[in-house]
């Protein structure tokens, strides 16, 4: 579903490039206090990535698991590779990896999701990152968030999410723990101002 929603879009949907910020009353534990970056939105559905859920795995763990490096080669990996951030991107296909990244890296399988951000879901980018040749900014996402036709619109109308334009800095920088409050701050909102009955800011 994920890549088909992206590839089949004829034009950008009104939520493309937006943040979804979970309201305090969010009942789905998968999305409690999350910030989701929407990559594709159309009449067919939507897909995005949770940007503020840490992942216990390291990028080195991923390289070893995929057998792209041997254990004794880890010590020679570039520091940027060792520290490449990984997030739990969402509850769908949580074993599948996607790299959300700045547009200074591109391959045949890269899909632009905004003017400055692309998505690549092939091993080519993982190999490039392992050599220190990957994008300047990026996140490896394990899994994604997906919604069927009309589902996300209904959740927003039911006061499940606030929406605002995404910030590239907020997507790629750290610390993870501060992203929820910082996303709210983009809207001039603090967590204390929100309630289950709050309207859209």
């Amino acid at each position: 579903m994920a890549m088909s929603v992206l590839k089949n879009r004829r034009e950008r949907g009104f939520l493309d490039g937006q943040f979804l910020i979970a309201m305090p009353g969010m009942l789905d534990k998968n999305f409690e206090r999350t910030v989701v970056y929407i990559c594709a939105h159309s009449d067919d559905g939507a897909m995005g990535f949770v940007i503020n859920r840490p992942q216990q795995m390291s990028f080195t763990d991923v390289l070893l698991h995929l057998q792209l490096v041997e254990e004794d080669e880890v010590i020679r990996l570039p520091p940027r590779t060792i520290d490449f951030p990984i997030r739990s991107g969402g509850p769908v296909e949580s074993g599948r990896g996607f790299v959300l990244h700045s547009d200074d890296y591109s391959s045949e399988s890269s899909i632009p999701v905004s003017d400055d951000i692309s998505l690549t879901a092939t091993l080519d980018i993982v190999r490039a990152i392992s050599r220190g040749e990957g994008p300047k900014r990026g996140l490896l996402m394990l899994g994604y968030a997906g919604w069927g036709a009309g589902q996300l619109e209904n959740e927003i109308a039911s006061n499940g999410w606030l929406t605002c334009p995404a910030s590239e800095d907020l997507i790629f920088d750290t610390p993870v723990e501060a992203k929820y409050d910082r996303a709210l701050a983009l809207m001039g909102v603090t967590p204390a101002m929100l309630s289950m009955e709050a309207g859209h800011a």
Side-chain angles (χ1 to χ4, degrees), residues 7-176:
K7 288 178 179 172
N8 295 337
R9 66 181 179 176
R10 289 163 205 79
E11 57 189 46
R12 289 185 181 164
F14 74 91
L15 289 173
D16 283 16
Q18 296 276 311
F19 280 149
L20 298 179
I21 306 167
M23 287 291 286
M26 175 62 71
L27 298 176
D28 187 337
K29 294 296 180 192
N30 288 314
F31 295 109
E32 187 177 7
R33 283 185 60 86
T34 58
V35 180
V36 179
Y37 175 65
I38 296 296
C39 292
H41 172 246
S42 70
D43 292 341
D44 299 326
M47 79 154 299
F49 296 98
V50 176
I51 63 164
N52 65 328
R53 278 274 159 87
Q55 172 59 242
Q56 300 308 310
M57 235 179 184
S58 70
F59 194 78
T60 305
D61 293 334
V62 171
L63 294 177
L64 290 167
H65 175 74
L66 295 172
Q67 300 179 341
L68 295 177
V69 297
E70 298 295 327
E71 191 83 50
D72 59 352
E73 297 174 318
V74 169
I75 198 165
R76 293 191 294 275
L77 289 172
R80 246 179 94 208
T81 299
I82 293 169
D83 297 333
F84 197 86
I86 302 186
R87 302 283 180 266
S88 292
V92 184
E93 292 189 60
S94 57
R96 185 173 175 194
F98 304 83
V99 181
L100 193 62
H101 59 88
S102 49
D103 65 357
D104 55 339
Y105 173 92
S106 184
S107 72
E108 287 183 12
S109 57
S110 297
I111 299 171
V113 294
S114 76
D115 292 341
D116 307 307
I117 297 173
S118 297
L119 181 68
T120 306
T122 57
L123 281 179
D124 295 346
I125 191 167
V126 176
R127 288 190 187 97
I129 294 165
S130 73
R131 296 188 302 265
E133 300 167 4
K136 183 178 176 189
R137 306 178 92 179
L139 295 173
L140 174 59
M141 302 290 193
L142 295 182
Y144 66 93
W147 292 266
Q151 184 182 358
L152 182 54
E153 292 87 339
N154 289 338
E155 289 180 14
I156 292 170
S158 301
N159 207 31
W161 301 97
L162 292 172
T163 65
C164 72
S167 152
E168 186 177 339
D169 285 342
L170 190 55
I171 292 170
F172 294 120
D173 69 9
T174 50
V176 175

